Amino acid sequence: MRTSLKEIENIEGFLLQKIPTDESLVFQSRMIINPELKYKTSCQQKAYEVIQLAGRVALRNELMAVENSIFKKSAFRKKITKIFESKN
Amino acid sequence: MSDNTNDLPNRQQLFLNLYQEVFPIAAKFIRKQGGNLEEAKDVFQDALIVYYERVVVGSGKRLNVDSNQGYLLAVTRNLWYKRVNEHRNFESLSKANEVKSEGQETHLSSMKLLSILETSGRKCLEILQSFYYHKVSMTDLASQFGFASRRSATVQKYKCLEKVRDQLKDKNITYEDFFERN
């Protein structure tokens, strides 16, 4: 694996807490003396957040597709409609 | 919880079952609370996302209930009460400040998100979401995406992550940029 990817792996270990505490402390020290590493770590954190948000958007689309398909089934639609037509 | 929910057909089947079994009960609850069908659909959809992230692929944190159905209903009830409280608070705030509520809500800019991720390529996007969101193991990911080994899948995953990270670096995009006001 090339050096830049190895560095990404190390940053991931720190950010996703895959490494032991002592290694994590060493990584934090490296960030203090190396602003570029600190910046890359910050960008990588943002990348995880973007992936997480995009995953959630995609999941919501999947749920909407399932919801649409189940409400096309007459028996299910009637069952639910009846709930909202009835008095409390 | 289970590896077989990591691919789309199995997820769809899981959600279909939950809609069939749990949604009618959730709908009755929301109806009793004075909600309508659209609100029931919205709240249940949010509850399913919480359920998926926490239970299906999450660390297994659960409320003190035994069944998945119970968990989902508990989340639905909590989200409903939260929604009602937020609506009440928002109304009282609006009255006090004479602020119009329309158009003030923030929405996720999914187009902006996707445009960034799509620069890394469709396959990269799927690999990253599979691993980091759906928590597919590297072994399963290698198999699903046709990599010769777990190691080569790992290398590809880091290459994809590097592309996304560099995209964020170049554009100096902040987390807040993923939200926009209507």
Side-chain angles (χ1 to χ4, degrees):
Chain A
M1 191 154 49
R2 61 181 151 91
T3 313
S4 67
L5 296 183
K6 190 73 193 160
E7 185 183 59
I8 284 181
E9 187 176 40
N10 290 337
I11 295 172
E12 176 160 303
F14 169 72
L15 289 173
L16 304 188
Q17 299 175 349
K18 293 176 175 177
I19 54 174
T21 312
D22 55 341
E23 283 182 38
S24 179
L25 289 169
V26 171
F27 189 90
Q28 286 179 54
S29 308
R30 283 178 55 215
M31 279 199 294
I32 291 168
I33 56 170
N34 184 348
E36 196 188 339
L37 178 65
K38 189 179 177 184
Y39 180 61
K40 284 178 181 172
T41 305
S42 161
C43 290
Q44 196 161 321
Q45 176 62 43
K46 275 184 205 158
Y48 294 133
E49 288 166 4
V50 167
I51 294 161
Q52 180 74 13
L53 288 170
R56 197 173 285 174
V57 169
L59 187 73
R60 193 175 287 281
N61 289 337
E62 286 178 22
L63 287 171
M64 283 169 80
V66 170
E67 188 187 282
N68 288 338
S69 74
I70 199 167
F71 271 90
K72 279 180 186 161
K73 292 180 182 173
S74 173
F76 185 81
R77 193 175 60 247
K78 279 179 186 167
K79 186 178 179 180
I80 301 301
T81 307
K82 202 175 166 187
I83 293 170
F84 288 93
E85 281 173 353
S86 66
K87 290 180 180 175
N88 276 333
Chain B
M1 185 200 273
S2 160
D3 281 342
N4 65 8
T5 50
N6 288 332
D7 60 76
L8 183 58
N10 286 321
R11 269 202 307 279
Q12 284 174 332
Q13 191 55 54
L14 169 73
F15 292 140
L16 200 58
N17 292 342
L18 290 170
Y19 265 103
Q20 273 167 341
E21 290 165 19
V22 191
F23 184 72
I25 307 168
K28 278 179 191 165
F29 164 76
I30 288 170
R31 169 67 177 139
K32 277 185 183 172
Q33 297 290 317
N36 60 34
L37 177 57
E38 286 311 308
E39 287 172 319
K41 284 179 177 177
D42 282 353
V43 170
F44 192 69
Q45 206 175 83
D46 287 346
L48 282 170
I49 291 173
V50 173
Y51 168 79
Y52 182 77
E53 289 183 0
R54 288 199 189 165
V55 178
V56 179
V57 298
S59 56
K61 286 180 189 170
R62 295 185 189 209
L63 302 178
N64 190 20
V65 288
D66 294 331
S67 68
N68 292 328
Q69 180 173 311
Y71 182 94
L72 195 49
L73 286 171
V75 174
T76 303
R77 278 196 295 273
N78 287 340
L79 289 175
W80 172 258
Y81 292 134
K82 190 168 174 264
R83 185 186 176 110
V84 169
N85 285 335
E86 280 172 358
H87 185 66
R88 278 185 194 145
N89 290 339
F90 189 69
E91 273 189 341
S92 63
L93 191 71
S94 296
K95 281 176 190 167
N97 298 329
E98 295 183 349
V99 175
K100 285 186 180 177
S101 64
E102 288 83 7
Q104 296 293 311
E105 206 175 321
T106 55
H107 286 282
L108 181 67
S109 173
S110 52
M111 291 302 287
K112 195 175 275 185
L113 260 178
L114 288 174
S115 71
I116 287 170
L117 288 172
E118 279 175 355
T119 56
S120 65
R122 174 59 53 186
K123 192 175 178 182
C124 266
L125 177 58
E126 287 174 7
I127 289 171
L128 293 172
Q129 285 186 353
S130 294
F131 184 77
Y132 293 108
Y133 187 74
H134 297 296
K135 313 289 184 199
V136 176
S137 70
M138 280 317 296
T139 306
D140 288 345
L141 195 139
S143 162
Q144 278 178 29
F145 288 89
F147 290 104
S149 68
R150 193 177 178 277
R151 187 66 189 158
S152 51
T154 303
V155 170
Q156 186 57 48
K157 182 198 79 171
Y158 286 133
K159 282 182 183 172
C160 294
L161 184 60
E162 186 179 41
K163 283 184 191 172
V164 174
R165 189 186 73 170
D166 290 348
Q167 183 76 9
L168 290 166
K169 201 159 54 177
D170 293 343
K171 292 191 175 173
N172 196 25
I173 288 163
T174 65
Y175 187 82
E176 288 71 25
D177 288 328
F178 297 108
F179 294 88
E180 63 185 13
R181 287 187 183 277
N182 280 347

